[in-house]
């Protein structure tokens, strides 16, 4: 029952739900197909550093909950060339729950912390990942939504705003108890959020 992750990438929409390999549908058509035979299934994906990044992949039938995989620069169909590869966030034993672009960086949300990926100028290692927020994680994977240079998300004890400067702000305190008293932990994979562009309101469907 995992929701699909979608992203715009090189004049196409790419998507996966963590079971089937990443699919590609061009803007100019309505048919979709596997992006590339070497591109695995993934639960989460985003564009960063001129590449498509995947997080929490399924490779040869084995789940990789700590893995962030990338293609080569400017070609999301090449997953074996120079500059492709992966990073395993093995410093902490927390599964990845989302990856999203945040300002000039990329935020990687896990069950109990948040990492920032910082762009480098190294072809073989285009992003450097550093733990930024400790002891606060993402409760429901698809409740991350952007607003300007910040994300809002449902954490494991409150709703938060995360800025690209790494500042974490409690924003759900007045309604926190009401929200968590009604949450169905068995349905976390079905929860999602949107940011209303006209009012900049964060709406979370839980």
């Amino acid at each position: 029952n995992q929701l699909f992750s979608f992203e715009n990438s090189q004049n196409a929409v790419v998507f996966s739900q963590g079971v089937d390999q990443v699919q590609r549908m061009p803007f100019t058509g309505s048919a979709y197909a596997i992006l590339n035979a070497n591109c695995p299934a993934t639960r989460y994906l985003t564009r960063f550093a001129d590449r498509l990044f995947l997080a929490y992949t399924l490779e040869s039938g084995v789940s990789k909950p700590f893995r962030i995989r990338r293609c080569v620069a400017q070609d999301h169909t090449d997953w074996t060339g120079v500059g492709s590869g992966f990073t395993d966030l093995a410093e902490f034993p927390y599964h990845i729950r989302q990856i999203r672009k945040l300002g000039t960086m990329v935020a990687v949300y896990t069950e109990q912390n948040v990492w920032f990926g910082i762009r480098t100028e190294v072809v073989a290692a285009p992003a450097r990942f550093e733990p930024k927020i400790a002891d606060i994680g993402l409760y429901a994977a698809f409740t991350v939504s952007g607003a300007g240079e910040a994300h809002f998300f449902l954490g494991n004890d409150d709703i938060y705003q995360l800025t690209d400067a790494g500042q974490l702000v409690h924003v759900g305190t007045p309604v926190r108890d009401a929200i968590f008293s009604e949450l169905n932990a068995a349905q976390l994979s079905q929860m999602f959020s949107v940011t209303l562009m006209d009012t900049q309101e964060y709406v979370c469907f839980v």
Side-chain angles (χ1 to χ4, degrees):
N1 294 325
Q2 179 78 16
L3 297 177
F4 279 85
S5 287
F6 293 84
E7 180 63 286
N8 295 334
S9 182
Q10 296 180 220
N11 298 314
V13 176
V14 292
F15 55 94
S16 178
Q17 85 289 41
V19 177
D20 300 310
Q21 287 181 263
V22 175
Q23 307 286 311
R24 173 186 179 274
M25 184 172 71
F27 292 154
T28 55
S30 58
Y32 60 88
I34 292 174
L35 177 63
N36 180 268
N38 294 308
C39 179
T42 187
R43 293 194 180 191
Y44 318 112
L45 44 79
T46 196
R47 290 284 308 185
F48 178 64
D50 302 318
R51 294 165 170 82
L52 183 62
F53 277 71
L54 315 179
Y56 200 139
T57 57
L58 179 68
E59 304 182 14
S60 300
V62 179
S63 290
K64 303 291 184 179
F66 312 109
R67 179 156 297 177
I68 300 171
R69 183 170 285 281
R70 64 184 182 274
C71 62
V72 305
Q74 300 179 355
D75 185 359
H76 64 193
T77 66
D78 188 345
W79 294 83
T80 60
V82 176
S84 65
F86 65 87
T87 301
D88 284 333
L89 303 184
E91 185 172 346
F92 300 100
Y94 306 131
H95 290 187
I96 295 172
R97 283 193 168 163
Q98 192 56 265
I99 184 169
R100 290 285 299 272
K101 185 80 177 294
L102 178 60
T104 59
M105 297 171 289
V106 66
V108 182
Y109 294 85
T110 78
E111 300 164 306
Q112 290 290 338
N113 62 7
V114 182
W115 297 68
F116 274 7
I118 302 166
R119 184 169 183 160
T120 72
E121 299 303 324
V122 181
V123 173
R128 182 179 75 253
F129 293 94
E130 302 175 351
K132 192 67 176 180
I133 305 295
D135 301 321
I136 294 174
L138 178 61
Y139 192 56
F142 292 95
T143 61
V144 179
S145 185
E149 299 300 306
H151 286 167
F152 292 95
F153 67 94
L154 179 64
N156 30 35
D157 64 348
D158 202 350
I159 294 175
Y160 291 94
Q161 180 192 48
L162 175 65
T163 71
D164 60 352
Q167 296 177 322
L168 198 64
V169 182
H170 292 261
V171 296
T173 304
V175 295
R176 178 184 59 193
D177 291 346
I179 291 174
F180 280 90
S181 67
E182 298 292 333
L183 284 181
N184 181 352
Q187 299 296 323
L188 293 180
S189 64
Q190 302 301 303
M191 299 176 187
F192 65 98
S193 68
V194 295
T195 300
L196 304 180
M197 292 297 102
D198 54 344
T199 61
Q200 290 296 288
E201 292 177 292
Y202 172 77
V203 182
C204 192
F205 297 86
V206 296

